[in-house]
């Protein structure tokens, strides 16, 4: 049987980054990526679905120098983010967080970012194998540590001293692998099951008429469709092509929606929650339908995305889990639930958790992994979990109020954006919002945002 030092399941940003640092630390590191076909990549590669926005301070969290990112990855610099409620909006031109990157952020080509991260790993000597997925993992205690046997779908077996799970928010391998260390009634398969904790995302690549293409901003419409963390967005790419997409909870029932008539993307004759493609069509109709024939003037760009200009994807809008590091195992990125529970940004935290896990797996110091990722990205996770908590049951009116307050706070922030008690006090309703955010942060302080604790694993 083949033996390796560090095996990595999944070759997205988390997996490639783990392979890169593991190989750099001298380990024999192998990535197993099942391989997903995309219109915009020759041959199968990692999944690479992403609206693909990067904010200034995320580069610091990734621990990447922007100068190292190849030009072909960056599609367009942006000046800010627009948040649009049913009738109020706000345009933020600063994240309000210190960053070394000089600018608000940029939109990037996700497949090219993933391909670059793969090259970085291979340059360090990692072996990146694409085309056959991992079917299952068996972990057994051996010689005072653990050994992990991976069986691939083609029957090939590999044994590894350390395992990094980077299979993304679908967690098809993460859940059963963690189940080996959890009591049956507390299993990961139940606690992390997609319908319980995950959302579905859908996006289309559309070519916009030049006169309405907003190339300087990413835009989010909140309070336009029902559901927690449910919102459509537009991200400008190259030329006048934008990704138009949305995220929404899996399996929502229209009967559970209070005041469906308040949502601009629902229709009186809906008998169920619309599908992703229908939501995208309705958004474009609402925004441009008076002056344009949406299907004709905003055509889908079929040469991009996973299939004819579209992509569908699971996404874990949830809290992160700790890893059973005593079993020489680390879970990273989307698989560990590090993707933001509020805005779905997650590539940066996948890269960082991957880097930490890979290096420690190679050094044999995985026992420090949970503490180190909290130190590196804990403030980002806390911020996102707290905001998600505050806005969890917001309806359209709450979003309008919040954007009005945010605009007033912005006006009080000397041209930038910073949330302080003093700035909040300058907006009517600002202190209430500020207090709710502070309370949520307090509730989740000291890592209380963690969904599965290391102490729960039986290792
Ligand atoms: C629609 C959408 C928009 C988003 N927008 C943004 C954004 O603008 N900015 C941002 O930073 N983040 C965004 N995110 C989040 C971001 O995509 C994720 O946080 C990030 O991809 C997580 O990286 P990862 O490596 O952990 O997982 P993934 O990128 O999901 O990679 C996991 C890999 O594992 C492979 N795999 C799965 N199972 C197996 C198996 N059994 N065997 C072998 N391989 C397997 C998959 O093929 C995949 O390539 C968005 C997500 C979605 C869905």
């Amino acid at each position: 049987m083949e033996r390796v030092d560090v095996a990595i399941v999944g070759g997205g940003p988390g997996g490639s980054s783990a392979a890169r640092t593991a190989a750099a630390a001298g380990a024999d590191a192998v990535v197993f990526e099942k391989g997903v076909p995309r219109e915009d990549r020759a041959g199968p590669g990692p999944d690479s679905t992403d609206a693909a926005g990067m904010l200034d301070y995320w580069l610091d969290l990734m621990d990447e120098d922007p100068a190292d990112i190849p030009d072909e990855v960056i599609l367009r610099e942006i000046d800010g983010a627009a948040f649009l409620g049913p009738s109020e909006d706000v345009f933020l031109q600063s994240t309000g967080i210190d960053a070394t990157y000089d600018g608000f952020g940029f939109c990037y080509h996700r497949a090219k970012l993933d391909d670059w991260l793969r090259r970085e790993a291979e340059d360090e000597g990692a072996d990146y194998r694409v085309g056959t997925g991992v079917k299952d993992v068996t972990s057994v205690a051996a010689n005072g540590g653990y050994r992990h046997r991976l069986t691939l779908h083609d029957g090939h077996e590999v044994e590894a001293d350390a395992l990094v799970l980077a299979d993304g928010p679908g967690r098809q391998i993460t859940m059963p692998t963690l189940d080996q260390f959890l009591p049956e009634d507390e299993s990961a398969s139940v606690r992390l099951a997609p319908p319980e904790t995950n959302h579905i995302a859908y996006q289309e690549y559309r070519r916009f008429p030049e006169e309405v293409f907003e190339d300087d901003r990413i835009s989010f419409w909140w309070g336009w469709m029902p559901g927690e963390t449910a919102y459509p967005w537009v991200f400008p790419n190259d030329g006048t092509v934008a990704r138009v997409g949305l995220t929404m909870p899996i399996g929502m029932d229209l009967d559970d929606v209070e005041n469906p008539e308040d949502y601009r993307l629902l229709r009186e004759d809906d008998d169920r929650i619309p599908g992703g493609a229908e939501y995208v069509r309705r958004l474009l109709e609402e925004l441009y339908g008076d002056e344009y024939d949406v299907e004709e003037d905003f055509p889908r760009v079929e040469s991009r995305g996973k299939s004819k200009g579209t992509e569908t994807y699971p996404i874990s809008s949830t809290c992160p889990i700790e890893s059973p590091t005593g079993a020489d195992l680390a879970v990273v990125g989307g698989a560990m639930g590090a993707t933001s529970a509020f805005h779905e940004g997650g590539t940066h935290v996948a890269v960082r958790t991957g880097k930490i896990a890979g290096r420690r797996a190679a050094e044999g110091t995985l026992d420090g992994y949970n503490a180190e990722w909290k130190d590196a990205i804990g403030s980002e996770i806390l911020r996102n979990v707290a905001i998600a908590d505050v806005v969890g049951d917001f309806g359209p009116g709450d979003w309008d109020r919040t954007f009005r307050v945010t605009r007033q706070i912005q006006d009080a922030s000397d041209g930038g954006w910073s949330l302080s008690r003093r700035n909040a006090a300058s907006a009517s309703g600002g202190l209430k919002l500020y207090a709710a955010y502070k309370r949520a942060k307090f509730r989740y302080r000291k890592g209380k945002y963690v969904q599965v604790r290391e102490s729960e694993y039986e290792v």
Side-chain angles (χ1 to χ4, degrees):
M1 183 187 315
E2 183 183 1
R3 290 175 196 281
V4 300
D5 299 330
V6 182
I8 297 141
V9 182
S16 285
S17 301
R20 176 175 166 188
T21 54
D28 179 14
V30 184
V31 176
F32 298 97
E33 165 56 50
K34 68 178 176 190
V36 176
R38 290 184 60 89
E39 308 279 1
D40 48 13
R41 181 192 277 127
D47 203 325
S48 302
T49 299
D50 197 329
M54 181 76 71
L55 301 180
D56 54 2
Y57 73 96
W58 289 3
L59 287 153
D60 296 320
L61 290 180
M62 275 168 86
D63 199 18
E64 289 292 340
D65 182 344
D68 292 339
I69 301 176
D71 289 348
E72 66 190 29
V73 171
I74 298 177
L75 293 171
R76 150 165 280 136
E77 308 257 340
I78 46 170
D79 297 335
F83 296 89
L84 301 108
S87 42
E88 296 277 352
D89 56 56
V90 59
F91 182 53
L92 293 184
Q93 288 182 283
S94 162
T95 57
I97 295 170
D98 286 343
T100 43
Y101 179 76
D102 187 20
F104 182 83
F106 53 82
C107 291
Y108 57 94
H109 191 298
R110 171 62 193 266
K112 288 186 178 162
L113 179 96
D114 282 3
D115 292 347
W116 168 61
L117 292 171
R118 172 184 174 172
R119 281 198 306 277
E120 292 285 301
E122 289 176 328
D123 287 350
E124 291 291 354
D127 183 0
Y128 188 108
R129 299 182 198 167
V130 63
T132 309
V134 175
K135 191 168 155 224
D136 60 54
V137 174
T138 308
S139 309
V140 288
N143 307 329
Y146 268 78
R147 291 192 73 76
H148 306 277
R149 178 176 297 191
L150 286 70
T151 307
L152 306 196
H153 280 287
D154 63 4
H156 184 69
E157 289 188 326
V158 183
E159 206 167 68
D161 291 335
L163 178 67
V164 177
L165 296 173
D167 55 337
R171 298 166 156 168
Q172 293 301 313
I173 297 298
T174 291
M175 288 189 289
T177 303
L178 294 182
D179 281 349
Q180 300 176 108
F181 307 103
L182 287 166
E184 207 172 317
D185 55 347
E186 292 290 333
S187 76
S189 300
V190 171
R191 292 161 79 183
L192 311 181
E196 292 298 316
T197 59
N198 277 8
H199 281 52
I200 193 86
Y202 172 82
Q203 62 181 317
E204 295 183 0
Y205 293 71
R206 296 263 189 163
R207 191 176 307 283
F208 278 49
E210 203 162 337
E211 60 279 13
V212 295
F213 185 69
E214 294 190 296
D215 62 0
D216 64 340
R217 65 191 60 193
I218 48 180
S219 304
F220 304 87
W221 286 263
W222 287 93
W224 283 48
M225 53 189 279
E228 189 177 341
T229 322
Y231 58 98
W233 70 77
V234 173
F235 278 50
N237 282 191
D238 51 326
T240 60
V241 175
R243 268 173 268 199
V244 185
L246 57 104
T247 173
M248 60 179 169
I250 293 172
M252 253 194 94
D253 193 336
L254 188 55
D255 292 339
D256 297 334
V257 177
E258 260 179 59
N259 308 324
E261 65 283 0
D262 291 349
Y263 292 92
R264 286 182 66 171
L265 300 187
L266 291 184
R267 300 286 174 262
E268 218 174 300
D269 56 355
D270 282 336
D271 54 10
R272 66 172 84 151
I273 295 286
E278 178 58 17
Y279 263 140
V280 165
R281 199 189 59 74
R282 288 184 189 180
L283 176 72
L284 293 173
E285 281 292 344
E286 282 281 320
L287 299 175
Y288 307 110
D290 286 351
E291 293 184 34
Y292 292 90
D293 177 330
V294 163
E295 284 318 308
E296 201 152 292
D297 298 329
F298 296 71
R300 240 193 295 149
V301 184
E302 301 201 344
S303 57
R304 303 191 186 194
K306 267 195 214 160
S307 173
K308 297 197 179 315
T310 72
E311 306 186 359
T312 308
Y313 199 65
I315 189 160
S316 39
S317 290
T318 180
C319 290
I321 57 167
E322 291 178 351
S323 293
T325 62
D328 301 318
L329 192 169
V331 192
V332 306
M336 71 176 271
T339 303
S340 165
F342 169 55
H343 52 55
E344 318 296 5
T347 303
H348 57 311
V349 284
V351 167
R352 187 62 177 273
T353 52
K355 282 182 175 175
I356 297 169
R359 175 179 47 76
R360 286 186 168 275
E363 290 170 347
T365 59
L366 269 179
D367 56 340
Y369 170 65
N370 290 319
E372 190 176 345
W373 71 250
K374 277 187 214 148
D375 199 40
I377 62 163
S379 57
E380 171 77 343
I381 301 268
L382 180 59
R383 196 165 29 239
N384 289 326
V385 168
I387 297 176
D389 194 272
V390 171
V391 305
D393 59 358
F394 268 22
D398 302 305
W399 284 110
D400 271 343
R401 236 182 334 275
T402 301
F403 293 148
R404 195 167 49 242
V405 168
T406 309
R407 227 178 32 235
Q408 288 165 354
I409 294 176
Q410 184 184 35
D411 291 343
S413 302
D414 301 327
W417 157 255
S418 72
L419 185 57
S420 66
R421 193 167 208 293
R422 192 168 62 85
N423 289 345
S426 66
S428 153
L431 274 180
K432 195 169 158 214
L433 194 65
Y434 178 76
Y437 174 60
K438 282 289 182 192
R439 268 198 309 275
K441 270 184 102 168
F442 186 74
R443 253 196 320 281
Y444 291 114
R445 74 194 185 286
K446 295 189 184 158
K448 286 186 185 146
Y449 47 70
V450 162
Q451 203 186 343
V452 181
R453 297 206 158 271
E454 182 161 22
S455 55
E456 295 181 62
Y457 296 109
E458 295 167 351
V459 176

